[in-house]
Amino acid sequence: MTGALADAGLARLAELHGVATSYRPAPDRTVAVPASAVVAALAALGVDAAGPDAVRTALAAREGELRERLLPPTVVRWAGDPQRPAALTALPPGTRLTVTTEGATEEREWDGGGVGELPLGVHQLTAVAADGRTGRAHLVVAPDRLPAPAGRSHGLLVQLYSLLSRRSWGMGDLGDLAELAGWAGRTAGAGFVQVNPLHSAVPGAPTDPSPYRPSSRRFPDPVHLRIEDVPEYAYVEEAEARERLGALRERAGRLRAAVLDKGELIDRDAVWELKREALEIVLAVPLGPGRQAAYDAFRAAQGRALTDHATWYALAETHGADWHGWPEELRDPRSAATAAARAGLAGRVEFHTRLAWLTDGQLRAAQRAAAEAGMSVGIVHDLAVGVHPQGADAWAQQDVFAAGMSVGAPPDAFNARGQDWGLPPWRPDRLAACGHAPYRELLRALFRYAGALRIDHVMGLFRLWWVPSGRTPTEGTYVRYDADAMLAILALEAHRAGAVVIGEDLGTVEPGVREALQRRGVLGTSVLWFERDWEGDGRPLPPERWRADCLATATTHDLPPTAARLTGDHVGLRDRLGLLTRPAAEERAEAEADTAEWLALLAGLGLLDRPAGGRADSDEEEEIRAVHRFLLRTPARLIGVWLPDGIGDRRPQNLPGTWDQYPNWRLPIADRDGRPLPLEELTAAPRLRALLDVFTQARGG
């Protein structure tokens, strides 16, 4: 009896804190999560549930808190909704509401109903009940929907590091991005270029090459800088300094040649070492008055977050990249010891502050280049789902991260063991208490230079799978976030920037999530090979049945390129690496059957001429063009072309489930024979031109 009551109490306590006690991997299946996962998640939220007595005490405290409070931490008011926010409907009669608008510019009474003249923004709401109780909340007033794309457009998808030109220093840079955007906009009529996350990496030897495990999502990585485009580069006058720069450029040329001419892997660490040395020289040149004013304005706008970011990198140079191993007094970003260390490292802090400013400037220049080339959207940046536990954000924002937890995914049909991504999650309670300030500031920083933003694992705005430290992913549980507030803030910041938002909503998605995202104008992601009639006969979904509010593509960075899928090379790769879970013959047969179904549909729609003798090697290019003709037949608002598909590259940029078995995130774009192509040859390649002509002809028609 006692055990049953204790379990019920724990379930109720978990529910009141947004911690799941079960989940549904399929509509007809419910899986209970371990009690240990629930207890661990509650502990990470500051709630002691270690035993029946602790559960009873915590439950009484939570229920009492909810009973007594007038307002939740955040209240959302959608501008077009005539109804009072649900949080206000239960207020006692006679409660007086006062709003202090964003920036404390004005205080006014509010009836909680129609917004009227209440401006968009994040305001402070105060409620005073007739019995004298007072409550305060962050009031998010958001537009009903996010900005939509201006018409229908197509664009290119590329991992920036893989896009080398004859000017880059061993990996693709922001100068290459601006060149690609200028070419694609003017020559191919493209409306956007989507890139991988360009967030700051954790320094190391070697650096983690994954752009999805960054040190900071708030600030971009200076490894992407085009050194020669830094204005002060032209004003390095001292002869020895110019000689050193020349020597660095020669070494960069050898790095570039090693990749493009010898087929070696991209060496990010070697590239950064050269760029860092060059930047030490270039940044010694004083800024002109106009540039100094712009720099000062950037520092003022970014505030403490920029100071923390630069301080972490300066401290990492001295104490190593994992702040958990620093002297204890430096693990606290607000300690007196950290302030003293910052003062002692002022030169290095200034160096990293300047790097953030320079990178921000070149990112905005790339977006301007895209707009000047006629792109309706421009550069689509990618927001990773989290940050590295050892990095700058995890150090600076310890108060909002859940200690002892990492984000992952539960077991599913594709991975019976689940996934642990090694990324610490934000605490939903701490986010709510501060008005989701870290999230707001992150979005605002990214929208400075983004025409659109792709949000990786957009379902994380609703809930995330928390895995306790030292446990397997099967021993985790879901923790819920205030999705209404997260969406409202996203809508607000996107509206202010005039930017489109694309959510990566592939895989298992909780019921209602896609509908909620669509209602607010967040575009989804649809990948051809996954679009089947899963609720019917399981066959490929005809184009007219695809959703319109999405980015439609043939593949992604985590999937085989289209040529590999058409030829079955992706099965051979996984077989060579020992990644298959079934006999290779079975895997090949299934892959061939899948491809045959799609090709039959393409042929049946008149998008592909099938030779009488069946498929031949020469069919590959035409089949890839037919795939993109099919995407054009769908109502999708945006259509993405994986740039390596344009030259027949068969290698995925990332092969999930591998680490050192495969060179993830280190491959340059190459042709069907594996020969790397620089940007100059890539844009002149007849095969790519022929693929992009599919869109030119459709637009002309």
Side-chain angles (χ1 to χ4, degrees), residues 78-101:
W78 295 100
D81 188 349
Q83 303 296 321
R84 282 168 62 95
L88 305 184
T89 58
L91 288 173
T95 300
R96 178 171 172 264
L97 296 175
T98 304
V99 175
T100 303
T101 56

Side-chain angles (χ1 to χ4, degrees), residues 337-573:
T338 297
R342 181 185 299 117
L345 295 169
R348 300 310 299 165
V349 172
E350 169 68 9
F351 177 71
H352 291 288
T353 303
R354 284 274 295 276
L355 294 186
W357 174 60
L358 291 174
T359 313
D360 176 88
Q362 289 195 11
L363 283 161
R364 287 186 290 114
Q367 175 62 12
R368 284 196 303 273
E372 290 168 1
M375 287 190 166
S376 56
V377 175
I379 309 301
V380 182
H381 285 278
D382 198 347
L383 174 60
V385 71
V387 296
H388 200 292
Q390 299 175 6
D393 283 2
W395 174 75
Q397 300 175 11
Q398 294 172 55
D399 56 328
V400 294
F401 280 106
M405 291 286 162
S406 68
V407 176
D412 57 28
F414 301 100
N415 194 326
R417 293 173 294 182
Q419 300 174 60
D420 183 349
W421 303 331
L423 310 169
W426 272 334
R427 283 181 54 165
D429 58 329
R430 294 279 176 83
L431 278 182
C434 66
H436 296 78
Y439 174 59
R440 283 188 278 138
E441 293 166 2
L442 170 62
L443 292 175
R444 196 168 300 171
L446 293 170
F447 281 134
R448 279 175 60 86
Y449 45 75
L453 185 64
R454 174 193 181 270
I455 300 181
D456 190 40
H457 193 69
V458 71
M459 298 81 80
L461 300 182
F462 295 76
R463 65 179 185 176
L464 285 171
W465 185 258
W466 285 20
V467 181
S469 178
R471 308 278 180 83
T472 65
T474 59
E475 300 174 276
T477 187
Y478 277 113
V479 175
R480 192 162 295 283
Y481 291 77
D482 186 344
D484 206 35
M486 300 286 270
L487 280 175
I489 290 166
L490 179 62
L492 175 64
E493 296 301 336
H495 168 81
R496 286 170 164 171
V500 175
V501 174
I502 302 162
E504 185 273 296
D505 57 352
L506 302 174
T508 303
V509 183
E510 184 183 13
V513 167
R514 285 198 176 104
E515 293 78 6
L517 294 170
Q518 182 183 33
R519 186 165 61 250
R520 298 304 175 193
V522 178
L523 302 183
T525 301
S526 294
V527 178
L528 181 125
W529 308 100
F530 299 156
E531 291 296 312
R532 288 177 170 270
D533 184 5
W534 298 114
E535 296 180 0
D537 58 14
R539 297 182 65 81
L541 202 63
E544 66 275 9
R545 291 181 56 192
W546 284 42
R547 54 182 170 171
D549 294 327
C550 74
L551 165 66
T553 70
T555 190
T556 74
H557 58 271
D558 282 334
L559 296 172
T562 306
R565 192 176 287 272
L566 290 171
T567 58
D569 282 11
H570 64 306
V571 177
L573 173 61

Side-chain angles (χ1 to χ4, degrees), residues 323-336:
W323 60 272
H324 298 88
W326 293 356
E328 187 172 355
E329 62 273 14
L330 298 181
R331 298 175 200 170
D332 179 0
R334 306 289 162 250
S335 71

Side-chain angles (χ1 to χ4, degrees), residues 159-180 195 198 221-229 256 271 275 362-363 366 679:
Q159 301 282 288
L160 180 56
Y161 59 83
S162 72
L163 183 73
L164 284 75
S165 72
R166 292 294 183 187
R167 296 181 178 180
S168 51
W169 286 28
M171 62 181 282
D173 62 32
L174 293 171
D176 297 323
L177 178 58
E179 289 285 350
L180 178 67
V195 295
L198 303 184
D221 199 312
V223 76
H224 301 111
L225 283 169
R226 169 69 62 86
I227 300 298
E228 295 87 343
D229 287 353
R256 180 174 61 244
V271 172
K275 289 191 175 184
Q362 289 195 11
L363 283 161
L679 176 62

Side-chain angles (χ1 to χ4, degrees), residues 207-219:
T207 299
D208 185 339
S210 173
Y212 291 93
R213 279 171 56 85
S215 171
S216 171
R217 297 188 293 173
R218 170 75 182 268
F219 296 99

